[in-house]
Coordinates of all heavy atoms in Angstrom, one line a residue:
G69 N 121.4 121.7 117.9 CA 122.6 122.1 117.2 C 122.5 122.2 115.7 O 123.5 122.1 115.0
H103 N 137.3 124.2 82.3 CA 138.2 123.0 82.5 C 139.2 123.0 81.3 O 140.4 122.8 81.5 CB 137.4 121.7 82.5 CG 138.2 120.5 82.5 ND1 138.9 120.1 83.5 CD2 138.3 119.5 81.5 CE1 139.5 118.9 83.3 NE2 139.1 118.5 82.1
D232 N 121.3 145.4 72.7 CA 122.1 146.4 71.9 C 122.6 145.7 70.7 O 123.3 146.4 69.9 CB 123.3 146.9 72.8 CG 122.7 147.7 73.9 OD1 121.7 148.4 73.8 OD2 123.4 147.7 75.0
D249 N 101.1 142.8 57.8 CA 101.0 143.7 58.9 C 101.2 143.0 60.2 O 100.4 143.1 61.1 CB 99.6 144.4 58.8 CG 99.6 145.7 59.8 OD1 100.7 146.2 60.1 OD2 98.5 146.1 60.2
L293 N 96.7 114.4 59.7 CA 97.1 115.3 60.7 C 96.1 116.5 60.9 O 95.8 116.9 62.0 CB 98.5 115.9 60.3 CG 99.1 116.9 61.3 CD1 99.3 116.3 62.7 CD2 100.5 117.4 60.7
K303 N 90.1 120.2 70.5 CA 88.9 120.0 71.3 C 89.3 119.4 72.7 O 88.4 119.1 73.5 CB 88.0 119.1 70.6 CG 87.3 119.7 69.4 CD 86.3 118.8 68.8 CE 85.6 119.5 67.6 NZ 84.6 118.6 66.9
L316 N 88.0 128.9 72.9 CA 88.6 130.2 73.1 C 88.9 130.9 71.8 O 88.7 132.1 71.7 CB 90.0 130.0 73.9 CG 89.9 129.8 75.4 CD1 91.3 129.5 75.9 CD2 89.3 131.0 76.1
E435 N 135.2 139.0 2.9 CA 136.5 138.6 2.5 C 137.3 138.1 3.7 O 138.0 137.1 3.6 CB 137.2 139.8 1.9 CG 136.7 140.2 0.5 CD 136.8 139.1 -0.5 OE1 137.6 138.2 -0.4 OE2 136.0 139.1 -1.5
D440 N 140.1 132.1 5.4 CA 140.6 130.9 5.9 C 139.4 129.9 5.9 O 138.4 130.2 6.5 CB 141.2 131.0 7.3 CG 142.0 129.8 7.7 OD1 141.5 128.7 7.7 OD2 143.2 130.0 8.2
S487 N 144.4 155.8 11.0 CA 145.2 156.6 11.8 C 146.1 157.6 11.0 O 146.4 158.7 11.4 CB 146.0 155.8 12.8 OG 146.9 155.0 12.0

Side-chain angles (χ1 to χ4, degrees):
H103 176 67
D232 296 326
D249 193 23
L293 179 60
K303 293 184 178 180
L316 281 177
E435 293 296 338
D440 195 307
S487 64

